[in-house]
Amino acid sequence: MSAAQCPAVSVIMPVLNEERHLRNSVRHILEQEYAGEMEVVIALGPSTDRTDEIAAELVREDSRVHTVPNPTGRTPAALNAAIKASSHPIVVRVDGHGMLSPNYIATAVRLLEETGAQNVGGIMHAEGENAWEDAVAAAMTSRIGVGNAAFHTGGQAGPAETVYLGVFRREALEKADGYNVEFIRAQDWELNFRIRGAGGLIWFSPELKVQYRPRPSVKALAKQYKDYGRWRHVVARYHAGSINLRYLAPPTAVCAIAAGIVVGAAVTPWAFVVPAGYAAAIVAGSLPAGKGLPLKARAQIPVALATMHMSWGYGFLTSPRSLAKKVMAGRRPAVGRQTV
């Protein structure tokens, strides 16, 4: 497309404590191979590191970069604030630790036109910067780690339930009243569910890749996946019929392993076959997942897999009904285009 044919694009970024990656992430946006007009709106949460200072530097360095406050620090509120502050017909979501491939925006705009979709997205291409992060990246891109989620493992282009991040038509976001601010996690899945419910098409394409930096520690990974499980159960309660067997696998595994340990200790050691079988399965599954990685990284893949599975399952099982009730009682603010 020529510059005249390319629709203008607004890139929105929810940011909190992202001093490590923010500058590089914005650089990958500004250096996109895209002929159309572009703006970047960074929604700043109450960071405790140098994120705000780095964002201010980026604003001074490039007139296309702007910031808006997000005092709550919550991702959906940040996204809605950035949408309100932006003005272009195509809205691209990027996280502060995501690195767009060079032709990401141009490809996404082309796919929106070709498919008629309301939202297109691709692969969450996890890449680490040390042995632990390499292990997590391998776990997050393997079927034993995340099942058949195409945006993690890849696959054929086609309609999807949800996609990673997303490139939206603004009218789809406005029709859906933006992100539901009550969903601290799983807000992408929940928004895409509503877009699909209104007849919109969500499109996955492996042509679209975003480089993602995994959590830097076992503790951080466990919290991330516990929150994923906790909020996915909220979505299931909020939107009846939205759950499937893939989401039930981790909580089932947690229950089976816990039962095996208890019965094994109190009744018969044969019950230890269940946790032992799980351990053997993730060790075996880590072998193909770690192909090509250094030994130190390969050795940590089973730990990453177990952390992801058990934390997600625990979060799902312990998600309180009161949280879902609170979400159901909440109201989504409208996200229409700002007028001056």
Side-chain angles (χ1 to χ4, degrees):
M1 292 183 186
S2 67
Q5 295 173 313
C6 292
V9 168
S10 297
V11 181
I12 59 172
M13 302 182 70
V15 169
L16 180 69
N17 293 325
E18 289 287 1
E19 67 173 3
R20 182 180 172 193
H21 300 299
L22 179 59
R23 176 169 287 279
N24 198 24
S25 181
V26 172
R27 179 178 64 80
H28 278 75
I29 296 167
L30 299 177
E31 294 179 357
Q32 284 287 296
E33 298 171 359
Y34 186 67
E37 184 181 349
M38 186 193 312
E39 65 177 348
V40 180
V41 182
I42 304 173
L44 294 170
S47 295
T48 56
D49 61 8
R50 294 184 60 252
T51 295
D52 287 10
E53 181 181 335
I54 294 169
E57 292 172 357
L58 292 166
V59 170
R60 288 194 297 269
E61 293 165 6
D62 197 303
S63 62
R64 293 174 292 177
V65 181
H66 314 279
T67 61
V68 292
N70 173 36
T72 70
R74 295 183 174 185
T75 299
L79 291 165
N80 284 347
I83 292 168
K84 285 183 178 180
S86 67
S87 57
H88 296 325
I90 304 298
V91 179
V92 180
R93 176 183 171 176
V94 181
D95 286 342
H97 47 271
M99 315 296 165
L100 299 185
S101 53
N103 62 348
Y104 181 89
I105 292 177
T107 302
V109 170
R110 172 176 59 80
L111 289 170
L112 284 172
E113 180 65 26
E114 291 176 354
T115 65
Q118 300 300 304
N119 179 21
V120 300
I123 295 174
M124 180 181 179
H125 187 61
E127 287 187 5
E129 296 181 321
N130 54 47
W132 165 251
E133 291 180 4
D134 284 342
V136 177
M140 291 179 70
T141 54
S142 67
R143 289 192 178 276
I144 192 172
V146 294
N148 63 348
F151 68 85
H152 281 295
T153 61
Q156 296 294 316
E161 287 186 346
T162 191
V163 290
Y164 180 52
L165 302 179
V167 177
F168 300 84
R169 299 179 189 272
R170 177 177 291 275
E171 61 262 28
L173 291 172
E174 293 180 347
K175 183 178 180 181
D177 286 341
Y179 290 84
N180 188 325
V181 296
E182 298 294 341
F183 280 87
I184 298 173
R185 294 282 189 180
Q187 66 274 160
D188 292 307
W189 203 102
E190 196 277 336
L191 172 61
N192 286 319
F193 183 89
R194 286 187 284 117
I195 291 174
R196 288 189 289 111
L201 174 65
I202 310 299
W203 188 266
F204 166 81
S205 174
E207 292 182 76
L208 298 172
K209 284 188 178 182
V210 181
Q211 192 180 86
Y212 168 87
R213 297 299 186 207
R215 294 299 192 269
S217 66
V218 173
K219 181 179 179 181
L221 183 68
K223 183 181 185 307
Q224 177 187 19
Y225 272 78
K226 184 189 78 171
D227 288 346
Y228 283 167
R230 176 186 177 94
W231 283 95
R232 189 61 189 81
H233 203 164
V234 174
V235 173
R237 287 169 169 154
Y238 190 80
H239 293 298
S242 67
I243 201 72
N244 61 42
L245 292 177
R246 177 166 69 87
Y247 296 113
L248 296 177
T252 300
V254 170
C255 291
I257 290 168
I261 292 172
V262 171
V263 174
V267 181
T268 172
W270 283 105
F272 286 120
V273 168
V274 176
Y278 171 77
I282 62 172
V283 169
S286 71
L287 297 178
K291 186 177 180 181
L293 291 178
L295 180 60
K296 186 176 180 181
R298 294 203 305 269
Q300 297 182 78
I301 295 175
V303 178
L305 287 169
T307 301
M308 291 161 56
H309 293 162
M310 296 299 102
S311 300
W312 203 103
Y314 177 79
F316 188 94
L317 290 168
T318 58
S319 181
R321 286 188 176 274
S322 59
L323 183 58
K325 289 179 180 178
K326 180 187 176 200
V327 169
M328 291 173 189
R331 300 177 65 184
R332 295 189 303 276
V335 192
R337 189 176 305 182
Q338 248 184 5
T339 58
V340 178

